[in-house]
Amino acid sequence: PARVAAVKPSSMYASGSESLIKQAREIQEEELHKFCVRISKLLVNQDYGNETVDSLQRLYLIFSATKYGRILPPDLLKKLQSLLCSPHSSEQLQALASAILRETLYFGLHSLCSEEVQDSRTVSYVSAVILAQVRVKDEVSALVHRLLKCLESRQPEAQSTRHLLPVLSKIISLSPESLTEDHINLVSRKLVDWLRYASIQQGVSMSSGGFFTGPRTRQPGPITEVDGTVAADFFTVLCVGHSYTDDQWMNLYAFSMIRKWLLCYDTEGSGNADSDDRSEVDGSVMSMVSATSTSSRLLPPKERLREKAFEYCHRLIEQSDRSEHSYV
């Protein structure tokens, strides 16, 4: 009986999910149209409360549950695009609008390619739609231009450029040839900064406070190594802290995509992110080793990135050794 009781909640959840998906797949066009009209009215009235969020979640389920694409009514399509592109929209609403638009049948992307959208969070959600809907190479090239322009610009304090690196990583996989040599050099310089020059101080965190006191800001302390000692060298993915600064998050994201970047753009005649041949990897490693003997500042951006990536990996090995010794 205990075993049956333990299994029952999950089986109920599974059957409930299957029922919702079945309803979403079987909804008729007339009923769907009425539902879309209702959502449009909520958006016209700028009612962004629980009813609107719940309705958008249901609409996403309907669109994603079917094997074939559905068409949004033009009025609702326009409103969802406006909701997506507005920096004043909440992140939850932008995420829902982006998810729904990714599931619809192809529509013109001109309204999403506006240069007016500059903040990184909005650009990342808009980019996800463009990459899902893109039909011609020019649209990807325009997206790359906006993405890198956003990476170069100084973002507001509440915004973070780390939203953009996953988008860039996807572009490398889908259309690596969309990046020009100038683009590649720009990103290489950025990756060097993120990998090698992140802060070794922890980010500012908020303590919960006591029963009679409100939340308090904790003074940031130093980042530590895996064995608990204060980090004296540069920040890596193996460093430990209670909270992290924006440049430390960029360090983590940069490291997650560095292998793909080097394999795609670090060799002559590159531009294929799937070229995972071992000889190519070995050649890149040898090039990294030779690069370390040259004055770093004199190296071209791609070679300097290779050098810093090698230093980063060497430090990771040292940190791993430190971790092993700490448990001996």
Side-chain angles (χ1 to χ4, degrees):
R3 181 179 294 178
V4 172
V7 172
K8 193 173 180 181
S10 61
S11 61
M12 288 175 62
Y13 176 79
S15 62
S17 299
E18 288 175 4
S19 175
L20 285 173
I21 292 171
K22 185 179 179 182
Q23 290 176 33
R25 286 174 176 166
E26 293 178 351
I27 189 171
Q28 300 299 309
E29 288 299 324
E30 183 179 352
E31 187 179 355
L32 177 59
H33 180 73
K34 290 179 180 177
F35 185 50
C36 289
V37 169
R38 197 176 90 193
I39 296 175
S40 289
K41 289 179 180 177
L42 290 171
L43 296 178
V44 165
N45 296 329
Q46 296 186 348
D47 180 353
Y48 302 137
N50 292 335
E51 185 181 356
T52 301
V53 171
D54 181 65
S55 297
L56 290 174
Q57 288 173 337
R58 289 172 181 271
L59 185 62
Y60 170 66
L61 177 62
I62 292 168
F63 273 65
S64 62
T66 53
K67 293 181 180 179
Y68 58 91
R70 291 181 181 269
I71 300 175
L72 277 171
D75 184 55
L76 181 56
L77 175 65
K78 187 176 180 180
K79 287 181 175 60
L80 286 176
Q81 289 176 333
S82 299
L83 191 67
L84 172 65
C85 293
S86 171
H88 304 297
S89 299
S90 69
E91 185 166 8
Q92 184 182 31
L93 289 172
Q94 282 186 318
L96 283 169
S98 177
I100 294 166
L101 292 172
R102 291 199 304 269
E103 295 293 335
T104 61
L105 286 175
Y106 177 76
F107 57 88
L109 299 176
H110 303 294
S111 59
L112 297 182
C113 295
S114 170
E115 291 287 338
E116 294 177 6
V117 179
Q118 294 294 334
D119 69 287
S120 60
R121 190 188 76 192
T122 303
V123 168
S124 69
Y125 284 120
V126 169
S127 300
V129 176
I130 293 175
L131 289 175
Q133 294 278 354
V134 71
R135 291 293 184 273
V136 294
K137 183 180 175 182
D138 287 348
E139 291 172 336
V140 180
S141 299
L143 175 60
V144 170
H145 176 74
R146 285 179 63 197
L147 202 67
L148 298 187
K149 186 177 180 181
C150 200
L151 277 175
E152 279 193 291
S153 64
R154 183 179 293 276
Q155 292 293 310
E157 191 173 343
Q159 293 291 332
S160 170
T161 51
R162 68 174 182 261
H163 293 92
L164 304 176
L165 283 189
V167 180
L168 183 59
S169 182
K170 188 170 183 180
I171 290 173
I172 295 170
S173 299
L174 292 177
S175 182
E177 68 280 358
S178 298
L179 273 72
T180 66
E181 192 66 21
D182 287 341
H183 293 152
I184 294 168
N185 287 335
L186 168 63
V187 177
S188 294
R189 285 191 291 268
K190 287 286 185 182
L191 288 170
V192 166
D193 291 340
W194 294 326
L195 283 176
R196 188 61 180 82
Y197 302 111
S199 169
I200 55 172
Q201 287 290 113
Q202 296 187 45
V204 176
S205 62
M206 299 292 289
S207 65
S208 57
F211 184 77
F212 295 105
T213 58
R216 296 190 303 270
T217 302
R218 288 180 179 174
Q219 286 299 109
I223 289 289
T224 60
E225 301 285 2
V226 286
D227 61 358
T229 59
V230 174
D233 211 335
F234 60 90
F235 181 89
T236 74
V237 293
L238 292 183
C239 291
V240 180
H242 293 293
S243 58
Y244 298 99
T245 61
D246 195 57
D247 63 347
Q248 288 164 358
W249 279 112
M250 295 303 288
N251 180 286
L252 304 180
Y253 277 88
F255 179 70
S256 72
M257 66 177 284
I258 189 64
R259 181 177 181 274
K260 180 190 289 187
W261 181 268
L262 289 175
L263 288 176
C264 189
Y265 297 118
D266 192 52
T267 55
E268 291 299 324
S270 61
N272 180 9
D274 296 324
S275 56
D276 199 11
D277 187 77
R278 181 173 179 80
S279 62
E280 183 179 340
V281 177
D282 292 342
S284 295
V285 172
M286 292 304 296
S287 298
M288 288 178 196
V289 175
S290 63
T292 57
S293 61
T294 310
S295 176
S296 177
R297 296 291 176 183
L298 300 178
L299 293 172
K302 287 194 287 187
E303 300 231 351
R304 187 154 184 257
L305 173 60
R306 203 185 307 148
E307 177 198 26
K308 297 306 177 185
F310 181 78
E311 289 178 6
Y312 194 102
C313 293
H314 189 263
R315 171 145 161 73
L316 289 179
I317 294 170
E318 290 178 340
Q319 287 179 297
S320 300
D321 290 341
R322 182 190 292 264
S323 175
E324 289 179 7
H325 294 155
S326 67
Y327 292 108
V328 174

